[in-house]
Amino acid sequence: MQQFQQYIGGAFSDGSARFESLDPATGDVWALMPEARSADVAAAVTAARDAFCAPAWADMTASARGKLLYRLADLIAENAQTLAQLETRDTGKIIRETSAQVAYVAEYYRYYAGLADKIEGAHLPIDKPDMDVWLRREPVGVVAAVVPWNSQLFLSAVKIGPALAAGCTVVLKASEDGPAPMLEFARIFDQAGFPPGVLNVITGFGPECGAVLTRHPDVDHVAFTGGPETARHIVRNSAENLASTSLELGGKSPFVVFEDADIESAVNAQISGIFAATGQSCVAGSRLIVANQIKDTFLARLKEKAECIVIGAPDDMATEVGPLCTRNQLTTAVDVIAASVEAGATVITGGTPIDRVGHFFRPTIIDCSDAPDAPCLTTEFFGPVLSVLGFDTEAEALDIANDTAFGLAAGVFTKDLTRAHRMIRGIQAGIVWVNTYRAVSPMAPFGGHGLSGHGREGGMQAALDYTKVKAVWVRTSDDPIPDPFVMR
Ligand code: NAD
């Protein structure tokens, strides 16, 4: 059986304990993972603090940090296949997606490598003639990065990349579900030549590892991706030492299709928006809001396509929908659908687990037109389940789109330019895609508001968010200071 190790202070070690990792496609134990408990967490934070203060990192030029990040990106690209295979094995995410995603992860590191020496301070046109005032941007310090199991390489890249570019050091806590790709990533990171302790990678469970890390007094910033309930714990934990937080949480994203939309494009985007990654995506377009004029036609086409989706083993290149990562998710999908049907919703296709080994669930479309309070419209969960509502007017479409406590992403399909702009303005979400869905880029900020969290990952702002501003005042006059009791 394969065994993985944690990475602390530039050395690999077994954790305080070990736990078994299951293959989601078979339900079998396939690997042993190092479980970090409080002693390991403390060692990782100490290593990150030491590295943050040590001249090898603290005095390194920004350009040199950038070069190391470029080297890391190259190593990721060279090892992309191994990383993708491990992610597929440990999380059940299909190989088609993990292969494409890992290749793109390297681009995120390249983007932040390039930004490292472009994080600039500023000079202020201050209102005093004998003062020179400027702003230094300094690294925030030790960052605790906590990620969920889905797309861990990607979700950690958008934290590690900008944090290291800014000069911070990082303790990354990989999810207890499917941590293999992150532990392998640590091996690759080790070859890039960073000073020891700049990145530390541990894994473990919420209470014994995540909670201990996020309330550690030597952590300056917590960058979290996960569910809203865990986020509440994180915020309480970080209150111990008033560490800053950035929270990337879930969504219940609207996918609005107007009657003039290109139906084939919108159907394909909706299929990808909800069934890609087996619906285990924070930006999943899980609420279809479709004009009543075209609802029947649209749903017929969607159903036809959904029923042709190739379901299979995640490591098969032909597979389009694989298993859910954990048994819990399967149970949640079953429960939410049962409660929604009870509330009056109609299952158009799917709605049940697949009778085979592993956590497989049928791509599901559920019409909630007669059940506006159905739990599937409000419950954020990971699964290939699309809830549908119809609308008659643009105002109604906008109301339904915004009828959510989340605010992560939204899709709008229309050929009417002015209507598209009104929708862009009206929709409460951190990302709006028009006539496309699920597009991402290192250059574009990613994140939401409301129960979807706060802070942005990706883009220049993300690197600035890992800095703190120091205002520097220099008096340029040699004249004696006149009145010591007057604030200057
Ligand atoms: P989760 O919140 O259960 O776990 C996320 C991480 O938090 C794990 O590493 C876990 O061990 C850790 N954790 C758990 N309890 C903790 C505690 N008390 N203190 C500190 N850490 C703790 O999430 P999950 O079920 O693994 O992942 C799915 C969730 O992630 C969904 O809600 C999804 O929408 C969200 N998500 C958001 C984004 C985004 O970018 N907005 C991306 C992917 C996933």
Side-chain angles (χ1 to χ4, degrees):
M1 189 176 306
Q2 215 161 320
Q3 300 203 1
F4 290 83
Q5 288 187 307
Q6 60 189 16
Y7 181 58
I8 296 175
F12 292 91
S13 62
D14 298 331
S16 290
R18 287 198 164 268
F19 66 96
E20 295 176 335
S21 204
L22 302 185
D23 180 335
T26 62
D28 295 337
V29 176
W30 80 278
L32 284 177
M33 302 299 171
E35 184 190 335
R37 294 197 181 155
S38 48
D40 310 276
V41 174
V45 175
T46 301
R49 176 59 62 192
D50 290 349
F52 183 71
C53 299
W57 184 245
D59 295 346
M60 187 182 281
T61 63
S63 308
R65 288 201 304 270
K67 279 185 188 141
L68 288 175
L69 282 164
Y70 275 123
R71 169 93 185 109
L72 174 62
D74 290 345
L75 286 165
I76 292 167
E78 279 164 33
N79 291 278
Q81 208 188 349
T82 310
L83 287 167
Q85 281 165 347
L86 276 173
E87 190 166 21
T88 290
R89 183 79 199 267
D90 212 16
T91 65
K93 196 174 161 80
I94 62 173
I95 191 75
R96 264 202 218 189
E97 289 206 19
T98 54
S99 310
Q101 207 172 43
V102 175
Y104 208 37
V105 160
E107 295 308 316
Y108 273 79
Y109 282 103
R110 286 201 179 104
Y111 174 76
Y112 284 107
L115 266 189
D117 56 10
K118 291 158 198 76
I119 300 171
E120 296 173 352
H123 190 262
L124 305 187
I126 208 76
D127 58 346
K128 300 175 199 312
D130 60 348
M131 295 282 187
D132 210 10
V133 182
W134 78 90
L135 305 180
R136 281 173 57 84
R137 282 204 173 265
E138 298 179 350
V140 155
V142 172
V143 174
V146 179
V147 291
W149 54 270
N150 74 312
S151 310
Q152 287 189 74
L153 289 163
F154 172 73
L155 297 172
S156 56
V158 291
K159 297 173 177 57
I160 296 169
L164 299 194
C168 296
T169 57
V170 178
V171 177
L172 179 100
K173 183 212 154 319
S175 172
E176 62 274 37
D177 296 315
M182 288 320 302
L183 299 168
E184 180 63 21
F185 171 82
R187 304 200 75 80
I188 290 163
F189 183 92
D190 190 58
Q191 296 164 32
F194 288 86
V198 165
L199 173 72
N200 307 274
V201 182
I202 55 176
T203 184
F205 296 88
E208 299 84 4
C209 180
V212 179
L213 173 62
T214 53
R215 65 166 169 256
H216 196 291
D218 226 5
V219 163
D220 299 297
H221 178 82
V222 182
F224 173 71
T225 300
E229 206 36 58
T230 316
R232 291 192 181 93
H233 285 289
I234 301 271
V235 170
R236 280 184 218 116
N237 293 345
S238 59
E240 284 289 315
N241 59 334
L242 301 178
S244 52
T245 57
S246 49
L247 307 172
E248 294 293 342
L249 314 178
K252 202 72 205 173
S253 300
F255 188 106
V256 185
V257 184
F258 285 94
E259 72 290 343
D260 64 341
D262 179 324
I263 300 280
E264 203 53 24
S265 279
V267 165
N268 279 336
Q270 176 66 92
I271 289 281
S272 139
I274 185 64
F275 299 132
T278 316
Q280 305 167 110
S281 163
C282 54
V283 292
S286 52
R287 289 187 301 136
L288 168 61
I289 301 162
V290 56
N292 280 325
Q293 279 165 273
I294 57 160
K295 186 173 165 224
D296 289 347
T297 321
F298 195 82
L299 287 185
R301 188 74 184 113
L302 204 58
K303 176 176 187 288
E304 193 184 327
K305 286 224 166 190
E307 290 175 353
C308 291
I309 287 173
V310 180
I311 299 166
D315 60 354
D316 184 341
M317 259 326 224
T319 297
E320 293 170 337
V321 162
L324 292 165
C325 180
T326 64
R327 180 137 298 271
N328 246 352
Q329 287 170 249
L330 194 82
T331 314
T332 305
V334 170
D335 292 349
V336 172
I337 288 171
S340 302
V341 169
E342 176 75 23
T346 308
V347 173
I348 295 174
T349 187
T352 53
I354 298 171
D355 189 17
R356 60 180 280 175
V357 174
H359 317 141
F360 289 87
F361 198 86
R362 284 195 171 74
T364 298
I365 303 172
I366 179 161
D367 190 350
C368 301
S369 302
D370 297 326
D373 297 326
C376 59
L377 287 168
T378 50
T379 314
E380 194 257 338
F381 66 102
F382 267 10
V385 180
L386 176 66
S387 308
V388 184
L389 284 173
F391 70 85
D392 289 319
T393 64
E394 184 183 314
E396 202 188 337
L398 190 58
D399 280 351
I400 301 172
N402 285 337
D403 186 17
T404 172
F406 296 94
L408 184 55
V412 177
F413 277 76
T414 180
K415 288 186 188 141
D416 181 333
L417 185 67
T418 53
R419 174 157 67 187
H421 279 274
R422 285 192 299 274
M423 291 297 286
I424 292 165
R425 215 180 296 157
I427 281 179
Q428 299 298 312
I431 307 162
V432 181
W433 287 298
V434 178
N435 295 327
T436 185
Y437 203 80
R438 225 173 156 248
V440 290
S441 160
M443 292 100 197
F446 184 100
H449 51 245
L451 284 194
S452 296
H454 55 75
R456 291 293 180 271
E457 294 187 322
M460 178 72 183
Q461 185 60 42
L464 297 182
D465 287 348
Y466 285 100
T467 65
K468 55 192 177 194
V469 168
K470 181 180 278 173
V472 183
W473 292 72
V474 178
R475 186 162 178 258
T476 53
S477 167
D478 290 330
D479 296 343
I481 291 181
D483 183 346
F485 295 103
V486 172
M487 202 171 178
R488 305 193 75 234

